Amino acid sequence: MTPQKISIDLKDDSLSKANLRKIRWCTTIAIIGFPVLVQILGAMIMFSSQYPFLTSIPMLLAFAGAAILVIGAGIYAITNRVFLRFSGANKGLEEWETTTQTDAFAFAYRIIVKGVLIAFVGISIVGILQLLNLQGWIDFNAAQSIVLNTQGLAAFTVVITYLVLLLPTLYIAWNIQPLMAEDRGSS
């Protein structure tokens, strides 16, 4: 059974200036905030024995408030009509919508590939330094060798999935010009 694409049309105000501004900021908050929340939670867990106030009620409430803000922004970003129209699960896109969708996907691809390449180069450099240290050619003593960190990999997978979902929407929200229904009809 092949998945069927549905048609989600934009409403008259979907590409209005005010709606695009909301989508911009919600998507930006979600993309920046989610990895920050993961890092803060990890730091709170890791350093809670040294600094017991990190698990105090006020700190946990502050973290919960920030998490609600970021998750709420993310939910808004992936449930609005702009995201749903351009997400790739839609049929019947107009020519300008197809071009916008292709540009957004290309932008997301470029950002993710650049990030992966930078990570690869960084990990490769550390690996080479560790190899040279093992050979006795240099004195490089990393605090911890590169190992498979399952918890870190799980957090990274969640964050990268979030980025894959939201980067096209971020591109669209920041690059599309506000349009009203009559402007879209004449395009």
Side-chain angles (χ1 to χ4, degrees):
M1 180 179 198
T2 59
Q4 293 188 354
K5 293 184 176 184
I6 58 173
S7 181
I8 299 168
D9 294 328
L10 296 173
K11 289 185 177 179
D12 290 343
D13 67 338
S14 293
L15 298 176
S16 69
K17 190 174 185 174
N19 195 38
L20 284 175
R21 187 179 317 114
K22 271 194 282 189
I23 295 169
R24 275 183 200 130
W25 291 110
C26 285
T27 307
T28 303
I29 288 169
I31 284 177
I32 293 170
F34 197 72
V36 169
L37 284 177
V38 170
Q39 291 296 319
I40 289 172
L41 181 61
M44 288 173 73
I45 292 169
M46 194 163 53
F47 296 116
S48 63
S49 60
Q50 289 175 302
Y51 305 103
F53 73 91
L54 290 175
T55 55
S56 67
I57 297 296
M59 289 299 285
L60 293 175
L61 288 174
F63 181 79
I68 288 170
L69 174 74
V70 169
I71 291 169
I75 289 171
Y76 178 79
I78 63 172
T79 59
N80 67 66
R81 284 190 176 272
V82 173
F83 173 82
L84 296 173
R85 179 72 177 171
F86 293 102
S87 67
N90 199 359
K91 67 176 182 175
L93 294 179
E94 295 176 19
E95 186 177 341
W96 73 270
E97 291 173 322
T98 303
T99 302
T100 302
Q101 181 187 52
T102 303
D103 291 346
F105 289 161
F107 166 78
Y109 175 80
R110 285 190 308 269
I111 294 297
I112 291 168
V113 166
K114 287 176 185 174
V116 167
L117 288 175
I118 290 169
F120 175 76
V121 168
I123 290 172
S124 296
I125 290 170
V126 171
I128 290 168
L129 291 174
Q130 287 182 339
L131 177 65
L132 294 175
N133 183 49
L134 286 174
Q135 296 296 323
W137 295 344
I138 65 169
D139 186 25
F140 177 77
N141 191 5
Q144 185 179 18
S145 64
I146 298 177
V147 294
L148 181 62
N149 178 349
T150 320
Q151 296 88 354
L153 192 58
F156 176 74
T157 303
V158 170
V159 169
I160 203 73
T161 302
Y162 209 63
L163 280 173
V164 167
L165 283 174
L166 292 177
L167 276 174
T169 305
L170 183 71
Y171 176 85
I172 290 169
W174 283 96
N175 289 298
I176 199 167
Q177 296 300 317
L179 298 173
M180 297 310 290
E182 58 273 3
D183 295 333
R184 286 196 320 267
S186 63
S187 301

